[in-house]
Amino acid sequence: MSEPPRSRRQTRAAILGRLLASDGLFRPRLAAECRLTEASISRILAELRQDNLVEEVRRPAPYPGGPSAMVTLRKDQRVAGLEFANDRLGVGLATLGGEVDGSARLALPAGSPPGAVAAAIGEAIAELRGWCARAGAPPRQIAVSIPGHGASPNPILPVDPAGLEAALGAAFPGVPVAIANSVAALAAVHLHGRGAAPVEERHLFVYLGHGVGGAWVDAVTAADPIQPIEIGHVVLDPAGDPCRCGHRGCLEASASTVTLALLCGVEEAALAAAGAGWPTLVRMTPRREAAIRLALFRTGLVIGNALNLMPAARVVLCGWPAALPEAMREAVTEGMDRSLFGGARQAIRFIAPAIGQEPAAALAFAVHALIRQGGLAPQDETPPARLAG
């Protein structure tokens, strides 16, 4: 069966995504990986060079007679990010090559009133304008990461997304703004971020932190590559422990770092600060180990049921379980075996979270949003054409 035709956006996104993952490819390999003809790759690269998104640098191939120019993303093009996380607002400006031109973190304690949130946003925008003035150009894309985004009203943070987008639009006319739930930004870091292997088939991304969330992640050429889901508020026991959402027995009430800290007798802030070394803070008694295994088992139950609804080729579990021994992490697979039709067959990849690095996730989502759109404004997208690849 022949591959369906791709739109101009999809073809450009495929090329930019491969360059982001590889940090540069020679034309023949880039064409092969994107399934493009020599004529198509030449035409699209000419467009991308004109749009200041790619460049070709002299770098001889490591074999005689090979190409002498490598295609890379332009390192002088910038993206901006605002990230609400860990009781503060992070703001930053960075190049597509990953060099940070400026970053700041503004205090924004939990429970801050709308006025304090608005003041922090105003200060962040002012900082960003200053960095852009020194860089001599506005960013190509702005992204904002907000916990709880998508719910109305936001149960976590009193942010008005429409007002925030309008403020950014006034400060940076014509620059596209992408607002994302925090879990979508985290997924962009690990699955569509710089140096990550391109996603070819659907992944299920699950995050266990202060909150618990998830997202379906597809290839960057998909219409909606990162789709957040409220996996943390799947109810396992209606008579279980209370959750901050108002229900009882949610996965978040069992598997968040809030609950983990209570189980371990350690302050949550200390767990977060310890990162991958958090188990060294805990005296692992049989009771605590059993409670942690139960949390992991319940996580596996929910993952298995999610996969019953929407199959995925791989599961990526980001968060505190990554620091545990493999024997304990097997409780996740055991839970999947008890709920997933046909048993657990998917490979699970455990990765440690990036704590205290905001606005890294927002900047990663800004790069993702720019590449997902193929560097085009939404109105510039053309329908699929047989000649695209």
Side-chain angles (χ1 to χ4, degrees):
M1 182 184 297
S2 62
E3 181 182 345
R6 289 179 289 182
S7 69
R8 180 177 173 223
R9 175 197 71 80
Q10 289 174 312
T11 305
R12 288 167 59 113
I15 292 172
L16 295 173
R18 295 285 171 170
L19 295 178
L20 179 69
S22 63
D23 199 30
L25 289 170
F26 292 110
R27 275 196 185 205
R29 183 174 172 184
L30 181 60
E33 291 194 4
C34 295
R35 299 185 295 278
L36 291 167
T37 64
E38 183 177 339
S40 292
I41 196 75
S42 295
R43 175 171 52 81
I44 298 297
L45 286 179
E47 281 188 12
L48 293 172
R49 282 199 308 272
Q50 187 174 0
D51 293 341
N52 292 321
L53 287 169
V54 305
E55 60 186 346
E56 294 190 72
V57 297
R58 305 297 297 180
R59 193 176 303 171
Y63 52 89
S68 60
M70 176 174 280
V71 185
T72 69
L73 294 177
R74 284 283 296 259
K75 303 297 192 295
D76 59 350
Q77 300 300 290
R78 294 170 174 81
V79 295
L82 280 73
E83 183 173 344
F84 296 87
N86 302 315
D87 294 339
R88 53 196 178 191
L89 169 57
V91 57
L93 180 72
T95 69
L96 295 183
E99 295 182 7
V100 177
D101 286 320
S103 67
R105 295 169 184 167
L106 312 174
L108 197 60
S112 295
V117 174
I121 290 172
E123 187 177 348
I125 291 176
E127 290 274 16
L128 189 53
R129 291 187 68 178
W131 297 327
C132 289
R134 287 190 287 276
R140 297 291 297 258
Q141 174 77 52
I142 300 173
V144 185
S145 171
I146 305 175
H149 178 65
S152 183
N154 189 323
I156 300 175
L157 196 67
V159 177
D160 172 20
L164 175 54
E165 188 169 0
L168 288 167
F172 303 98
V175 177
V177 177
I179 300 181
N181 186 289
S182 294
V183 74
L186 290 166
V189 171
H190 296 291
L191 299 177
H192 283 322
R194 188 174 294 103
V199 172
E200 303 289 356
E201 298 179 275
R202 178 174 293 123
H203 287 51
L204 172 59
F205 177 83
V206 178
Y207 177 77
L208 303 187
H210 182 78
V212 174
W216 300 113
V217 182
D218 288 291
V220 74
T221 52
D224 195 359
I226 302 178
Q227 304 174 61
I229 54 176
E230 287 293 353
I231 200 169
H233 298 290
V234 171
V235 175
L236 291 160
D237 179 5
D241 293 333
C243 178
R244 61 177 172 166
C245 72
H247 292 154
R248 284 183 168 273
C250 294
L251 175 61
E252 185 171 298
S254 295
S256 70
T257 53
V258 177
T259 302
L260 180 67
L262 290 173
L263 290 175
C264 296
V266 179
E267 292 289 333
E268 185 188 12
L271 285 179
W278 73 262
T280 63
L281 305 179
V282 181
R283 187 170 67 88
M284 194 62 72
T285 64
R287 182 189 67 81
R288 282 177 176 156
E289 181 173 340
I292 291 172
R293 284 181 180 275
L294 179 58
L296 295 172
F297 179 80
R298 288 174 171 170
T299 301
L301 283 176
V302 172
I303 289 173
N305 279 306
L307 295 174
N308 283 331
L309 296 173
M310 181 85 77
R314 179 181 286 271
V315 176
V316 177
L317 183 52
C318 175
W320 58 264
L324 293 172
E326 183 178 353
M328 289 187 69
R329 296 200 306 252
E330 287 175 354
V332 178
T333 305
E334 292 168 9
M336 292 172 62
D337 273 327
R338 292 285 292 274
S339 61
L340 179 59
F341 183 73
R345 298 177 302 278
Q346 286 78 5
I348 302 180
R349 178 184 168 207
F350 291 87
I351 54 178
I355 301 295
Q357 297 182 21
E358 61 276 347
L363 289 169
F365 195 84
V367 175
H368 161 72
L370 178 67
I371 286 178
R372 178 255 165 232
Q373 195 58 36
L376 296 169
Q379 64 269 21
D380 291 339
E381 184 175 351
T382 56
R386 291 287 175 186
L387 297 178

